[in-house]
């Protein structure tokens, strides 16, 4: 196994590291930790956080890339395949490798299209052939229903077992921290009397665990969400798309952050001609309608890619670079809002007593900015990461539809929708690809929206009063 | 007032110049016209003469900024920057890469765009404000919290889902209207009904929540307490006082998008086959027609800046506290 780091992987891990550093930094400072503690008291917000962390875990696993080892090859140069795989692909290998010929409906064991089948004795007939991977263990096709029921029941039980383990851990930890009896902690969690809404968290974990258990037990034997035109499992595609969606939602913000922070603070803190120039830059950029600027940039990227076609080692690296470029382009169109906001905040802060005092003591400008201003605007940056996220995930699908989104070879919800939407005209209708993409997107965006609401309520006291 | 508008428009000139410099850098400096020609003519087997011919047909064979071969002012005017960028200021969009007159195309195709965006805008605005006012009336009750939950759920659904779902349900299953297409005159209504309906529904979640926040902010003001104290009914308070005062924050979001309605919606027009400016842009992107994309970027920012000026003017009309300086 040979580990590979794609450019977006590196940036994604940089982002995760900086979020952890901020978390440690904020947890030691009361004024930064207090709003986050308030977020952790909201049942809906914490449920959304659980869902988001599940998606995040999938994306992290899918970002650990490597060249898989080839069997039988001796020479050290040829031992690794040119293809790139990820840890996630290893975990869901049964889904990845269960190729069919073409479309098949969810849970079907017969193909979508009729074929000529040879019967014993050399004659042929036209009929729906059995699928190659779904339900091959069944001796009698009529057993299908009861077999699926049995397996899903097993999956649900598996999920409940995992939930029980989580509950045990939570209750034990709580009993230890409150130094009370174990049974008291249990009843507090069950009746929802705890400060952190453990009951809501446990319920969300239970739903997730049951869904995962169901997929683990049924997934290898049936196509839960059917297969697409070339016979790939739709559930596999939808899971692989999680990384693309999350990366676009987060990397875009990461790419634009340095510009927004540096320019926003510079404009607000230094005033004068610096302010004028920076205001001019962001007014100009924001006056171009976002989708047109993205279209123009994507077009230029295509020209660039066509000219430098031989620079890319393989398709994955090329698709990866295109994803990064899309994040950058989206970043250019979204950083102006944050920059304007940070400028306003810096304008307010520079007149604050502690900064006037620092200036009076002769502290250098850059020290004031780094030590006093940046920590005090970080919460705005965090909120904007959370708030922009859902819009960016939705934008990816729309942009991919008009051919200025991610690379067609990359798994993404936009590509799934794009390739499936024409199939609605077929008879019988091929609906499963579309539904799977919309379902996954809906769950992610809903969780992000609910979590963003909780975060904003905690940080924006003006809104809280209006409720 | 007129002096103010003129001054405000004068501010817009450097911004438009900046937009033009950005598009110029993007289209001619990052990638040379040679690259564009090669992409258009097919990447591998292109002769140098074919590239030269493609460039000279479209005027891309001139120097970028300064033409040494010409005399006096021609040195600056006979360049790509002048011919393709500065001329946009006179709304002379020139010819597209396939040889059509862009200005004529735009004047023809903005009306179908407007036929969708305007009804969506007006109906959507009326509907969201009405619903948001009703929610504000029931604030703090179960109706309020459920309405917010529904709004967040509606916001989380992709716009593509509304379009595909609507086409499938109303166009294919119920066969009430054609799935896509366009016609002139009144017969266009049957083609427009579905995209307008979907546009209104798609914007409902976000709009309602936004206006609800604005109304709730106004409801907590002192003048509302005064109005209640003098014995006005809740209906009078909401319609007579809250709605009128909430107009100011509502105007900020509304007036600025008015001119941009001409541009149409890329996704909607592509799905419903409406021959508007949105699908014009998509066709240009797909056929890699750089001249059209350039013209649309310029037009888009002009309309946005007009929207900003209109917003400022409308402020002075509804809010006597705002002074023109």
């Amino acid at each position: 196994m040979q580990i590979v780091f794609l450019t977006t992987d590196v940036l994604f891990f940089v982002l995760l590291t900086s979020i952890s550093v901020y978390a440690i930094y904020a947890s030691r400072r009361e004024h930064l930790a207090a709003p986050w503690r308030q977020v952790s008291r909201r049942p809906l917000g914490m449920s959304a956080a659980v869902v988001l962390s599940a998606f995040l875990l999938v994306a992290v696993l899918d970002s650990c890339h490597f060249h898989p080892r080839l069997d039988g090859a001796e020479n050290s140069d040829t031992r690794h395949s040119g293809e790139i795989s990820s840890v996630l692909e290893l975990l869901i290998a049964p889904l990845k490798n269960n190729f069919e010929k073409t479309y098949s409906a969810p849970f079907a064991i017969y193909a979508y299209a009729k074929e000529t089948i040879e019967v014993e004795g050399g004659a042929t007939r036209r009929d729906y052939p059995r699928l190659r991977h779904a339900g091959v263990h069944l001796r009698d096709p009529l057993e299908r229903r009861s077999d699926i029921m049995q397996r899903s029941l097993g999956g649900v039980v598996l999920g409940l077992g995992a939930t029980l383990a989580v509950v045990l851990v939570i209750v034990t930890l709580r009993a230890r921290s409150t130094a009370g009896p174990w049974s008291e902690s249990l009843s507090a969690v069950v009746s929802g009397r705890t400060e952190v809404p453990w009951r809501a968290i446990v319920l969300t974990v239970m739903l997730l665990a049951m869904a995962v258990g169901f997929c683990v037990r049924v997934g290898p034997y049936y196509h839960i969400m059917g297969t697409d035109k070339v016979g790939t499992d739709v559930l596999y595609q939808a899971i692989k798309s999680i990384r693309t969606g999350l990366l676009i939602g987060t990397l875009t913000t990461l790419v634009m952050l340095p510009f927004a922070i540096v320019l926003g603070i510079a404009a607000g803190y230094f005033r004068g001609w610096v302010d004028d120039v920076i205001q001019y830059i962001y007014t100009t950029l924001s006056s171009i309608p976002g989708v047109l600027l993205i279209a123009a940039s994507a077009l230029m990227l295509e020209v660039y890619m066509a000219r430098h076609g031989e620079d890319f080692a393989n398709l994955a690296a090329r698709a990866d670079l295109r994803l990064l470029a899309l994040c950058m382009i989206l970043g250019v169109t979204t950083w102006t809002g944050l920059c304007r906001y940070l400028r306003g905040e810096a304008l307010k802060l520079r007149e604050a007593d502690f900064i006037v005092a620092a200036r009076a003591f002769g502290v250098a400008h850059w020290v004031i900015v780094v030590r006093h201003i940046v920590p005090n605007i970080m919460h705005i940056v965090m909120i904007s990461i959370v708030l922009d996220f859902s819009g960016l995930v939705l934008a990816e699908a729309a942009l991919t539809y008009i051919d200025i989104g991610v690379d067609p070879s990359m798994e993404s919800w936009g590509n799934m929708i794009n390739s499936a939407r024409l199939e609605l005209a077929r008879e019988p209708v091929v609906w499963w690809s579309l539904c799977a993409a919309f379902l996954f997107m809906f769950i992610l965006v809903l969780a992000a929206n609910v979590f963003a609401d909780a975060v904003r309520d905690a940080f924006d006291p003006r809104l809280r009063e209006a409720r | 007032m007129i002096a103010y508008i003129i001054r405000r428009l004068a501010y817009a000139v450097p911004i438009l110049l900046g937009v033009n410099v950005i598009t110029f850098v993007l289209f001619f400096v990052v990638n040379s016209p040679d690259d564009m020609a090669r992409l258009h003519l097919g990447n591998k087997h292109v002769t140098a003469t074919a590239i030269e011919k493609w460039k000279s047909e479209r005027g891309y064979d001139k120097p970028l900024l300064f033409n040494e071969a010409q005399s006096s002012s021609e040195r600056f005017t006979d360049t790509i920057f002048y011919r393709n960028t500065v001329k946009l200021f006179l709304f002379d969009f020139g010819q597209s890469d396939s040889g059509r007159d862009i200005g004529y195309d735009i004047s023809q195709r903005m009306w179908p765009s407007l036929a969708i965006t305007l009804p969506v805008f007006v109906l959507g605005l009326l509907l969201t404000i009405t619903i948001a006012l009703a929610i504000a009336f029931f604030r703090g009750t179960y109706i309020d919290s459920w309405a917010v939950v529904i709004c967040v759920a509606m916001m989380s659904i992709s716009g593509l889902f509304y379009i595909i779902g609507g086409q499938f349900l109303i166009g294919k299953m119920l066969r009430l209207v054609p799935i896509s297409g366009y016609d002139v005159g009144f017969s266009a209504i049957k083609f427009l009904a579905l995209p307008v309906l979907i546009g209104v529904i798609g914007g409902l979640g976000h709009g309602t929540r936004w206006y609800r926040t604005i109304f709730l902010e106004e409801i907590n003001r002192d003048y509302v307490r005064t109005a209640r104290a003098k014995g006005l009914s809740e209906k009078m308070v909401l319609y007579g006082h809250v709605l009128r005062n909430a107009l100011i924050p509502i105007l900020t979001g509304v007036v600025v998008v008015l001119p941009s309605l001409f541009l149409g919606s890329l996704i909607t027009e592509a799905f419903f086959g409406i021959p508007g400016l949105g699908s014009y842009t998509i066709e240009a992107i797909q056929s890699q027609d750089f001249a059209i994309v350039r013209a649309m970027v310029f037009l888009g920012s002009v309309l946005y800046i007009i929207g900003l000026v209109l917003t400022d003017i409308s402020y002075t009309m509804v809010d006597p506290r705002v002074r023109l300086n």
Side-chain angles (χ1 to χ4, degrees):
Chain A
M1 204 159 79
Q2 188 181 17
I3 296 171
V4 193
F5 282 106
L6 297 175
T7 327
T8 50
D9 295 343
V10 176
L11 285 171
F12 189 47
F13 288 125
V14 166
L15 180 79
L16 291 180
T17 321
S18 43
I19 289 177
S20 335
V21 168
Y22 172 79
I24 295 169
Y25 181 86
S27 67
R28 292 187 186 152
R29 282 160 184 80
E30 180 53 31
H31 68 288
L32 294 178
W36 287 110
R37 202 170 309 126
Q38 204 182 332
V39 173
S40 74
R41 302 280 185 269
R42 299 264 302 243
L44 262 181
M46 288 316 282
S47 296
V50 171
V51 176
L52 284 180
S53 1
F55 274 85
L56 195 65
L57 181 69
V58 172
V60 170
L61 288 178
D62 203 10
S63 295
C64 303
H65 286 107
F66 59 86
H67 287 303
R69 216 186 160 116
L70 289 181
D71 296 331
E74 288 299 316
N75 190 339
S76 65
D77 290 337
T78 56
R79 264 204 311 233
H80 301 290
S81 120
E83 263 180 52
I84 293 180
S85 186
S86 75
V87 176
L88 180 80
E89 283 177 40
L90 281 185
L91 290 178
I92 57 171
L95 294 181
K96 186 187 179 188
N97 300 328
N98 285 359
F99 274 107
E100 302 297 340
K101 255 187 201 156
T102 178
Y103 294 112
S104 69
F107 297 113
I109 53 173
Y110 290 104
Y112 171 82
K114 274 190 180 174
E115 264 179 37
T116 310
I117 306 170
E118 269 190 45
V119 232
E120 281 170 56
T124 57
R125 65 189 165 93
R126 295 282 296 171
D127 203 355
Y128 299 105
R130 282 285 288 267
L131 290 177
R132 273 186 256 168
H133 295 280
V136 275
H137 59 288
L138 296 176
R139 246 174 280 130
D140 179 8
L142 293 175
E143 285 172 9
R144 185 183 74 117
R145 194 169 289 258
S146 62
D147 183 57
I148 292 174
M149 289 302 277
Q150 225 168 10
R151 284 179 192 282
S152 36
L153 205 67
V156 169
V157 170
L158 206 68
L160 287 177
T163 317
L164 210 61
V166 173
V167 172
L168 282 181
V169 171
I170 290 173
V171 172
T172 314
L173 286 179
R174 196 187 123 82
R176 191 171 291 175
S177 72
T178 56
W182 200 85
S183 58
E184 190 273 330
S185 275
L186 181 67
S187 73
V189 168
V190 170
S191 59
R193 278 186 282 113
T194 49
E195 274 210 319
V196 176
W198 288 117
R199 187 172 59 171
I201 295 177
V202 165
L203 283 175
T204 320
V205 168
M206 190 174 80
L207 285 179
L208 274 175
M210 275 167 21
V212 172
F214 172 71
C215 292
V216 167
R217 296 288 299 156
V218 183
Y221 303 98
Y222 298 94
H223 299 292
I224 296 178
M225 287 174 173
T227 54
D228 74 346
K229 191 171 189 172
V230 287
T232 328
D233 194 281
V234 171
L235 181 64
Y236 169 75
Q237 285 181 333
I239 292 177
K240 283 286 285 176
S241 306
I242 290 176
R243 175 176 180 266
T244 316
L246 269 181
L247 281 187
I248 286 187
T250 52
L251 282 196
T252 302
T253 327
L254 180 75
V255 168
M256 70 158 189
L257 267 187
F259 299 100
I261 293 180
V262 170
L263 294 181
I265 292 179
Y269 184 77
F270 293 111
R271 309 277 300 275
W273 66 268
V274 182
D275 193 13
D276 290 340
V277 170
I278 292 170
Q279 277 202 63
Y280 172 71
I281 294 174
Y282 70 61
T283 315
T284 306
L285 272 178
S286 66
S287 78
I288 305 176
V291 72
L292 288 174
L293 186 60
I294 295 169
S297 315
L299 214 50
M300 286 304 112
L301 184 72
E302 209 149 298
V303 179
Y304 182 85
M305 289 261 184
R307 187 176 54 180
H308 300 275
E310 63 281 357
D311 290 358
F312 305 105
N314 50 30
L315 274 177
R318 188 190 151 101
D320 186 67
L321 212 70
R322 208 170 146 178
L323 177 69
L324 186 64
L326 180 68
C327 288
M328 283 178 167
I329 296 166
L330 278 169
V332 170
T333 58
T334 52
W335 72 280
T336 51
L338 179 64
C339 187
R340 184 173 301 160
Y341 203 9
L342 289 179
R343 171 182 169 271
E345 202 61 23
L347 266 179
K348 244 188 287 170
L349 276 175
R350 80 189 290 272
E351 307 298 338
D353 288 340
F354 65 99
I355 289 184
V356 175
R359 263 207 302 272
F361 282 133
V363 180
H365 282 310
W366 70 271
V367 178
I368 293 181
V369 167
V370 171
R371 296 211 44 182
H372 298 301
I373 297 202
V374 171
N376 281 299
I377 56 158
M378 274 325 271
H379 67 278
I380 296 182
V381 175
M382 293 304 271
I383 296 174
S384 96
I385 293 184
V386 179
L387 279 183
D388 286 347
F389 179 82
S390 53
L392 290 168
V393 174
L394 291 178
E396 183 271 324
L399 290 178
T400 305
Y401 172 74
I402 42 179
D403 277 351
I404 49 180
V406 297
D407 199 79
S409 70
M410 190 161 215
E411 286 98 349
S412 86
W413 293 313
N415 274 330
M416 283 172 73
I417 294 169
N418 201 7
S419 57
R421 82 198 150 78
L422 288 175
E423 309 302 339
L424 279 181
R426 278 179 173 243
E427 205 63 50
V429 179
V430 179
W431 47 269
W432 41 89
S433 261
L434 275 177
C435 285
F438 281 131
L439 181 72
F440 271 73
M441 223 154 85
F442 177 68
I443 294 175
L444 177 61
V445 172
L446 184 66
N449 275 336
V450 170
F451 186 67
D453 271 9
V455 171
R456 199 183 38 187
D457 284 354
F459 280 100
D460 196 341
R462 201 171 52 109
L463 255 165
R464 209 163 43 228
E465 279 158 24
R467 293 171 68 80
Chain B
M1 187 73 186
I2 290 171
Y4 171 76
I5 296 175
I6 290 174
R7 201 171 64 229
R8 200 64 188 70
L9 285 175
Y11 284 144
V13 173
I15 294 177
L16 283 179
L17 200 66
V19 170
N20 272 339
V21 170
I22 291 174
T23 47
F24 175 73
V25 169
L26 209 56
F27 281 87
F28 293 109
V29 181
V30 175
N31 293 291
S32 68
D34 282 31
D35 298 325
M36 289 196 261
R38 215 166 284 136
L39 187 76
H40 252 257
L41 300 168
N43 223 348
K44 291 274 148 54
H45 313 287
V46 189
T47 56
T49 46
I51 290 179
E52 284 308 316
K53 184 163 170 282
W54 189 89
K55 274 162 59 185
S56 67
E57 276 170 2
R58 289 159 184 79
Y60 293 159
D61 55 345
K62 307 266 191 299
L64 285 180
L65 288 170
F66 186 76
N67 194 345
E68 286 188 0
Q70 299 289 340
S71 58
S72 68
S73 70
E74 293 254 303
R75 286 183 163 202
F76 296 98
T77 55
D78 198 29
T79 57
I80 288 183
F81 184 70
Y82 184 82
R83 289 170 55 101
N84 289 303
T85 304
V86 179
K87 271 192 175 172
L88 290 175
F89 274 107
L90 310 169
F91 289 94
D92 176 2
F93 294 116
Q95 290 197 334
S96 75
D97 287 349
S98 54
R100 289 177 61 91
D101 183 5
I102 299 178
Y104 175 77
D105 276 351
I106 289 179
S107 69
Q108 288 295 305
R109 301 187 71 151
M110 65 189 210
W111 303 113
S113 284
L114 211 56
I116 289 189
T117 49
L118 198 62
V120 168
F121 176 77
V122 173
L123 291 178
L125 193 66
L126 290 177
L127 201 61
T128 45
I129 289 185
T130 316
I131 297 176
L133 258 185
I135 295 175
F137 184 78
F138 291 110
R139 68 191 169 279
T141 64
Y142 272 105
I143 298 178
D144 182 21
S145 32
W146 274 106
V148 173
V149 169
I150 293 172
C151 283
V152 174
M154 283 182 80
M155 275 165 65
S156 307
I157 298 173
S158 164
L160 297 175
F161 179 80
Y162 288 117
I163 295 178
I164 296 177
Q167 276 187 331
F168 187 72
L169 188 73
I170 297 177
K172 190 166 178 236
M173 303 292 284
L174 302 176
R175 295 181 189 278
L176 290 179
V177 289
I179 289 180
S180 72
Y182 192 70
D183 206 346
V184 286
F186 278 104
S187 44
I189 289 176
K190 66 172 188 283
F191 291 104
L192 293 178
L194 186 58
V196 168
L197 178 75
I198 288 171
V200 170
I201 292 177
L204 214 54
H206 188 268
T208 308
R209 214 170 83 113
W210 173 241
Y211 292 127
R212 173 186 167 272
T213 323
I214 291 178
F215 288 139
L216 287 190
E217 233 166 75
E218 286 295 321
I219 278 178
N220 287 345
R221 295 277 167 88
D222 287 341
Y223 70 84
V224 177
R225 194 181 309 146
T226 315
R228 289 216 190 90
K230 69 180 188 189
L232 287 186
S233 67
E234 186 67 18
K235 222 166 89 185
M236 271 301 292
V237 172
L238 278 184
Y239 288 106
H241 294 268
V242 173
L243 181 58
R244 283 184 60 162
N245 280 286
L247 268 182
I248 298 168
I250 290 176
L251 272 179
T252 339
V254 166
V255 178
V256 75
V257 299
L258 268 180
S260 307
L261 291 180
F262 282 104
L263 288 178
S265 152
L266 266 68
I267 305 281
T268 312
E269 288 181 16
F271 265 99
F272 290 99
I274 309 285
L277 280 184
S279 52
Y280 188 53
T281 314
I282 291 190
E283 284 159 25
I285 294 168
Q286 278 162 356
S287 63
Q288 287 153 345
D289 196 318
F290 306 99
I292 296 178
V293 176
R294 227 161 36 225
M296 293 303 294
V297 167
F298 181 77
L299 188 67
S301 34
V302 168
L303 292 174
Y304 178 78
I305 288 168
I306 294 176
L308 286 183
V309 177
L310 285 180
T311 309
D312 285 356
I313 295 172
S314 63
Y315 267 159
T316 66
M317 290 177 176
V318 296
D319 191 351
R321 288 172 302 183
V322 177
R323 294 269 172 276
L324 299 178
N325 47 41

